[in-house]
Amino acid sequence: MPKFKFGKEAGIFLLLVVLCVVVTVMNPRFLSPINVQNTARLIGMFGILSLGLAVVIVTGGIDLSVGSLVALLGALLSIGLVDKHMSPVVVVVGVLLVGAGLGLVHGLLVTRAKLQPFIVTLCGLLIYRGAARFVAEDQSKGFGDSAGFMWLHDLAVGNFLGVPWPFVIFAVFAVALGVLLHKSVYGRYLYAIGRNPEAARYSGVNVKRVETLAYVVAGGFTAVAAILFAFYTNSISPSSHGNFYELYAIAAAVLGGFSLRGGEGSVVGVVLGAILLQILQNLVNLLGIPSSLNFAVMGAVILLGVLADNLVLRRKQA
Amino acid sequence: MLLASGITKRYPGVTALDGVDFSISSGEVVGLVGENGAGKSTLIKILGGLVQPDSGQVVMEGRQVKIDGSATARRLGIGVIHQELSDLDNLDVAGNVMLGREPTKFGLIDRPALRAMALRALERLGMGQLVDEPQSSLSIGQRQLVEIAKALSLEAKVLIMDEPTSSLTAGETERLIEVVRDLRAQGVAVVYVSHRLNEVKELADRVVVFRDGKNAGALDKEQITPQAMVRLMIGRDVAVANEHTHLAGAAVLELQAVRTKRFPSHSVSFTVHSGEIVGIAGLVGAGRTELAQAVCGVDPLAGGNVRLDGKSLGNSVRAAISAGLYLAPEDRRRTGLVTRSSVRENTTLPDLPHYARIGLLERGAETQTAAKMLEELNIKSPSVETTVSGLSGGNQQKVVIAKWLAMSPRCIVFDEPTRGIDVGARAEIYSRMRELADSGVAVLMVSSDMEEVLAVSDRVLVMHEGRLAGELPRAAATEEAIMALAVGHA
C-alpha cells in the first residue's frame, strides 16, 4: 500500500502527457486560457467525487449512489437557500451533514447488517433519485442571482488567483487524503481491511468502525462536490442532474490503478485518473468527434488502460 | 499395479519430495506413514493429479502415464480420499456421493439412477439409511464416510486414503477397517495413510515410511510394529525430546467454565502458568480451535470467564491484545497475515498506534522494529518491504509470531504453529516457544501433530467433543495415552 508503485502511476501520467500533446497539435485551442480554466473546474468537481469514492474502493466496497446523492443534495440546497430563505451557513452545514449521514447509513448497513456494498448503494441510487424528484416536485431548481450567498456561488464558478476554486478545493482535499491514506494509522487500517479483513480483525483492528468511516468520508466528499455542481449548473433538474456521476468517479479510480477487489491504489493515481477522464471529454469536443460517442471513447480508453496495466503486471510476475 | 519412481517435487523454499519411490500391487494394502511434512500429502496429490512432479515417472499397469489432472487420475482408476472434506452442504448425501459424475437422461440429472448408485456405495459402509439426508445434518465423522463412499463408487483400482479415520468414532473406524479388508479381497490396491500406527499395523501388508521428503525405509508384514515405524519416521530411537522439567510460575491464563458456540453445553476450565507450555491435543473437530478463538476474543464466548493475570478479560480481540493475550491462528494466510502487505506492515499492524504521533505513522520506527524481528526470528526475507505472499510458509509463520514478539506478551496461544512448514523452521519455532516460556510467558499450543505435542508440551490437555477429556503430565504423555483420551476411550 503506502508502498508507491512507480509503474502504475507513471504509466497513466505518460498517457496523460501524450494525450495532451496530441490534442494540442490537432487543436491548439486546447491550451487557450478559457478551455484550460473550464477543464480545470470540471476536473476539480469530478475529482472530489473520485477522491471520496477511492476511500470506499480501497476497502473493497463501492458506492453507486453518488450521482443521485449529488441531485438530492443539490435540490435540498436550492430549497433551503431560495425557497426557505435559510441562512447559507446553516444550509451548507446541513447539506454536508446529510451527505455524511447517508454515508454513515451505507456504512452501517454494510458492516452491521452485512449487506453487500453494491446492493446497499444501488438502493441508495434509486431512493435518492426518487427523493430528489419528490422534494423538488419534479421541477428544475436553481439559485436565481444568488443574492445573499454570492460567496457560495463564487466558490463554484469563481477563481482564486486565476485558478478555479473547485480545482483549488480538489487539490487541498487530495493532499489531505494523501496524508490520510498513506501516512496515517487509519489509512494503513483501510488498506489492511481491503486486503484481508479477517487478518485485520485478528490483529485487533476495529474493522467495522474503520470501514463505516470510509462511507462517511465518501458521503461528505460527495456533499462538497454536490454544492459545487449545483451552483455550476445553476439549474438542477432532479431527474437528470448528476446522472452517471458515480461511474465517472469509479472510472477515475480504476484508471488510476485502484482494484475493485480492494487494498490497492494511491491518491496520486486517482488524481491522475480524474484529470485524464476530463481531458478525454474535452478531446471529444475539441477534435470534433460526434458527442454521441462521448461515453464510447471513455469506455474504450479505460478498457485499454486496464488491459495494458494487466499485461504489464502479468509480465512482471512471470 | 502402480509404480512411482524418482518422484521429486520442489516448492519455493521447500523440497517436498526428493526422489522417492513407491509401489503397490493389486490386492495389497500399503501403509504410508511419516511425520507431517514428510511428503505423504505431496505424493498423494501427485498420484491424484492435483500437482505435477518436477521429475520422476509413474507407471500404471505396465504403461507409463502422465497424471495431469484429477479427471485423468479417475480415468486411470486412481481414487483419492482427501483429508480435507470437499462436500457441499446444500446437497443431500446422494448428491454428494455422485458429485461431478451425475448420471443424466436427456441432459438432465437422472435422479433415481443417481440415488441408486449412491445407495450402493453407501451400503458397503453400512450407512445406506443416510442416502436422502441433507449433508448439513451429518457429523464430521459421517461426512468423512460420505467422502469414502464417493471414492468407492468410482470402482477405483488404486484407492488412496489420507487419514480416513482422523475424525471417526471407534465404531466407524471398525467398519472402515472391514471395508478396506473387503476391498483388498476384491483385488483393489489400497494406500492407507495414517498417523494412527495401531490401525496401520492391523491393516497393512507392507509399510512405507517417508522422512523429510525421502524414502526412510519399508517394513514387511511381520516387521510392522508401532515402535519400528516411529524409529523410521524420526530417524532415531524413540526418545523423549525434552527431558528437563520446567517449573511453572504464577497462574497467567485462567479459563473458568468457558463455553464456545460450537459446544454450548460443555464447559472447559484450566489454567496456564507463567513459564510453561501447555499443549492441547485432540482429534479434528474436538473444539480446540473454537476454544482458542473464543478465549482470545476472536469469536464470542457462549459463557464462562477468561482471566489474565487475575483480571477478568472482556470478550474482544482488542481487550485480549491490550492485556497481552495474543493468538497465532491456525490459518496464517486467511487470518494470520495480510499477505498482500509487506513484512513491515504486518509486523506493526496489531500495535500500529504505538508507531504514530497524532495519528501519523513514523515509518522509521516501524522499519526498525521489523528489521529487528527479521534478525531475531531468522526470517528469510530480502527486506522488510518484501510482500509476505512471496515468503515460504515457514517464514510466513515467523512473521505471524513477529507481530506478537514485537509487543509485550503475557500469554500467546499458538494454533497449529507449524502446519505445513519445513523441518528447519519448525525447530526454530519450537525453540522460540521455549524461550518465550523461559522468559515468563504462558504458552498454550493447540496441535494435531502428535510428535509436536509430545516434543514441546510441559503438560498435555486432551479434548474430546468439546470437553476436556483429561490432562497428562509430561511423564505420562504418550501417543497411546493421548489417543485413548482423544477418542473418548479412557
Side-chain angles (χ1 to χ4, degrees):
Chain A
M1 87 144 147
K3 181 175 45 175
F4 187 76
K5 287 214 187 70
F6 182 73
K8 231 167 193 177
E9 283 84 5
I12 181 173
F13 183 68
L14 199 70
L15 181 60
L16 188 59
V17 171
V18 170
L19 261 183
C20 289
V21 171
V22 169
V23 183
T24 311
V25 169
M26 293 180 74
N27 189 340
R29 265 204 304 142
F30 177 68
L31 286 184
S32 68
I34 184 83
N35 186 56
V36 168
Q37 217 168 46
N38 196 39
T39 306
R41 195 178 304 282
L42 289 169
I43 289 171
M45 292 187 291
F46 282 104
I48 294 169
L49 288 182
S50 305
L51 289 174
L53 203 72
V55 181
V56 168
I57 292 178
V58 166
T59 68
I62 194 81
D63 189 346
L64 299 177
S65 71
V66 167
S68 295
L69 197 52
V70 165
L72 175 61
L73 295 178
L76 290 177
L77 188 69
S78 163
I79 290 170
L81 290 174
V82 180
D83 301 354
K84 308 275 187 211
H85 303 291
M86 289 161 73
S87 145
V89 174
V90 170
V91 177
V92 166
V93 170
V95 163
L96 293 178
L97 284 179
V98 171
L102 289 174
L104 179 65
V105 172
H106 295 164
L108 292 176
L109 286 170
V110 169
T111 58
R112 307 281 160 169
K114 307 218 184 303
L115 300 180
Q116 288 175 353
F118 189 100
I119 295 169
V120 168
T121 58
L122 176 66
C123 295
L125 178 150
L126 298 169
I127 293 169
Y128 307 147
R129 178 64 63 188
R133 292 178 62 176
F134 180 76
V135 296
E137 291 163 337
D138 239 347
Q139 302 293 312
S140 270
K141 289 281 170 190
F143 301 97
D145 54 7
S146 297
F149 42 88
M150 208 52 206
W151 59 276
L152 262 177
H153 175 265
D154 284 345
L155 216 49
V157 298
N159 301 321
F160 173 73
L161 304 176
V163 183
W165 267 112
F167 191 84
V168 175
I169 298 171
F170 169 57
V172 171
F173 278 23
V175 171
L177 198 67
V179 171
L180 184 78
L181 281 188
H182 304 307
K183 300 276 177 221
S184 80
V185 173
Y186 178 74
R188 182 73 62 78
Y189 285 164
L190 276 177
Y191 281 91
I193 288 172
R195 292 172 180 182
N196 188 344
E198 273 296 277
R201 188 169 78 84
Y202 275 63
S203 289
V205 177
N206 192 337
V207 174
K208 286 179 181 169
R209 194 166 68 196
V210 171
E211 203 177 340
T212 304
L213 210 50
Y215 288 88
V216 176
V217 171
F221 275 41
T222 302
V224 171
I227 295 171
L228 300 177
F229 275 118
F231 280 98
Y232 178 73
T233 56
N234 200 12
S235 160
I236 302 144
S237 67
S239 60
S240 64
H241 185 74
N243 260 349
F244 295 127
Y245 282 11
E246 59 280 348
L247 300 186
Y248 285 87
I250 296 168
V254 169
L255 256 181
F258 280 73
S259 158
L260 293 186
R261 197 159 59 117
E264 305 298 332
S266 72
V267 168
V268 175
V270 68
V271 166
L272 290 173
I275 295 174
L276 184 64
L277 217 55
Q278 291 310 316
I279 302 273
L280 273 178
Q281 298 272 303
N282 196 217
L283 165 155
V284 171
N285 293 333
L286 289 178
L287 299 192
I289 299 170
S291 64
S292 49
L293 278 177
N294 195 340
F295 276 129
V297 171
M298 222 166 86
V301 171
I302 295 170
L303 193 60
L304 288 175
V306 175
L307 199 64
D309 201 62
N310 227 347
L311 291 177
V312 172
L313 204 74
R314 227 177 290 163
R315 189 163 311 160
K316 256 187 212 161
Q317 280 168 352
Chain B
M1 170 67 69
L2 178 98
L3 177 71
S5 49
I7 305 283
T8 297
K9 176 73 195 175
R10 289 186 192 86
Y11 290 108
V14 196
T15 300
L17 284 178
D18 189 2
V20 300
D21 303 317
F22 184 83
S23 69
I24 188 165
S25 322
S26 63
E28 186 183 29
V29 176
V30 174
L32 177 58
V33 299
E35 292 187 87
N36 280 359
K40 297 167 298 180
S41 299
T42 307
L43 181 69
I44 295 167
K45 284 185 190 149
I46 287 171
L47 294 178
L50 298 178
V51 165
Q52 300 307 308
D54 296 329
S55 61
Q57 55 173 353
V58 180
V59 175
M60 179 89 182
E61 296 179 301
R63 281 187 307 117
Q64 188 173 337
V65 293
K66 186 174 180 317
I67 310 171
D68 52 11
S70 54
T72 311
R74 208 180 289 164
R75 193 159 35 78
L76 289 168
I78 301 175
V80 182
I81 300 163
H82 290 286
Q83 193 177 352
E84 296 91 26
L85 297 172
S86 57
D87 55 350
L88 299 181
D89 256 356
N90 54 343
L91 294 179
D92 62 1
V93 170
N96 266 295
V97 171
M98 300 303 296
L99 189 65
R101 296 166 292 118
E102 293 83 357
T104 57
K105 206 189 248 177
F106 313 121
L108 301 174
I109 290 179
D110 183 355
R111 183 67 211 171
L114 178 144
R115 187 178 178 283
M117 289 163 83
L119 188 61
R120 220 166 27 241
L122 288 164
E123 269 169 355
R124 289 172 76 178
L125 292 166
M127 45 190 277
Q129 75 283 0
L130 290 179
V131 68
D132 295 318
E133 296 294 317
Q135 186 80 9
S136 53
S137 71
L138 303 190
S139 72
I140 300 219
Q142 287 172 322
R143 285 167 182 232
Q144 188 93 45
L145 287 169
V146 170
E147 289 285 300
I148 293 166
K150 192 165 151 184
L152 290 182
S153 72
L154 286 167
E155 308 292 346
K157 292 177 217 158
V158 177
L159 194 57
I160 303 170
M161 299 183 160
D162 189 4
E163 299 284 356
T165 58
S166 61
S167 44
L168 298 189
T169 63
E172 289 166 337
T173 303
E174 275 309 307
R175 202 174 308 137
L176 181 80
I177 288 174
E178 284 312 306
V179 171
V180 172
R181 292 210 168 106
D182 256 20
L183 289 169
R184 170 168 54 192
Q186 292 162 23
V188 177
V190 178
V191 182
Y192 195 86
V193 183
S194 181
H195 277 308
R196 300 195 179 170
L197 302 180
N198 287 327
E199 267 169 44
V200 175
K201 177 178 185 298
E202 199 174 332
L203 267 175
D205 301 312
R206 192 156 57 84
V207 165
V208 173
V209 186
F210 281 4
R211 182 172 71 236
D212 299 342
K214 299 194 179 84
N215 285 89
L219 298 167
D220 289 328
K221 181 82 185 161
E222 58 279 5
Q223 302 172 310
I224 301 174
T225 61
Q227 291 77 7
M229 285 187 270
V230 170
R231 196 175 306 131
L232 287 173
M233 278 161 68
I234 61 180
R236 58 191 150 80
D237 272 317
V238 190
V240 180
N242 220 328
E243 291 292 355
H244 57 294
T245 48
H246 297 272
L247 286 179
V252 175
L253 178 71
E254 291 169 86
L255 275 67
Q256 299 171 328
V258 167
R259 288 182 285 123
T260 62
K261 273 165 88 180
R262 171 86 180 278
F263 296 100
S265 51
H266 297 314
S267 68
V268 173
S269 303
F270 62 83
T271 302
V272 185
H273 301 89
S274 161
E276 70 171 344
I277 300 178
V278 174
I280 302 188
L283 302 181
V284 173
R288 298 166 300 159
T289 291
E290 290 81 354
L291 184 70
Q293 309 238 42
V295 165
C296 295
V298 170
D299 291 337
L301 283 170
N305 194 10
V306 176
R307 292 159 72 87
L308 196 78
D309 287 327
K311 286 194 283 289
S312 242
L313 213 58
N315 183 211
S316 80
V317 187
R318 279 181 299 285
I321 288 178
S322 59
L325 170 61
Y326 310 145
L327 172 68
E330 64 171 340
D331 188 338
R332 57 180 166 269
R333 270 184 282 270
R334 202 175 65 75
T335 53
L337 296 166
V338 181
T339 51
R340 285 199 273 153
S341 292
S342 68
V343 172
R344 170 178 57 81
E345 286 163 9
N346 272 285
T347 306
T348 58
L349 185 61
D351 200 18
L352 209 49
H354 180 79
Y355 299 93
R357 213 179 281 167
I358 50 164
L360 298 184
L361 289 163
E362 292 184 343
R363 203 154 155 173
E366 281 190 80
T367 303
Q368 210 174 9
T369 301
K372 191 171 134 231
M373 283 300 144
L374 276 196
E375 194 185 322
E376 233 172 68
L377 288 170
N378 189 25
I379 299 173
K380 294 186 190 71
S381 169
S383 89
V384 294
E385 298 305 325
T386 305
T387 306
V388 167
S389 59
L391 304 181
S392 74
N395 286 308
Q396 287 185 359
Q397 187 67 21
K398 289 180 184 175
V399 176
V400 175
I401 297 171
K403 284 173 29 171
W404 303 128
L405 290 193
M407 298 171 67
S408 26
R410 288 297 303 136
C411 175
I412 302 187
V413 179
F414 292 89
D415 193 355
E416 304 290 354
T418 63
R419 177 180 281 173
I421 70 178
D422 59 291
V423 184
R426 193 174 295 204
E428 290 180 56
I429 287 173
Y430 294 156
S431 60
R432 191 64 46 181
M433 287 164 73
R434 179 52 69 195
E435 281 172 32
L436 272 169
D438 288 344
S439 72
V441 173
V443 177
L444 185 62
M445 175 185 74
V446 172
S447 175
S448 299
D449 182 340
M450 196 66 86
E451 302 287 338
E452 177 167 291
V453 171
L454 293 175
V456 180
S457 318
D458 295 320
R459 194 151 60 91
V460 180
L461 304 173
V462 186
M463 283 185 73
H464 172 67
E465 291 183 355
R467 285 176 294 104
L468 213 51
E471 173 176 343
L472 299 164
R474 167 185 290 274
T478 62
E479 190 160 328
E480 290 73 20
I482 292 174
M483 202 39 96
L485 288 168
V487 298
H489 276 241

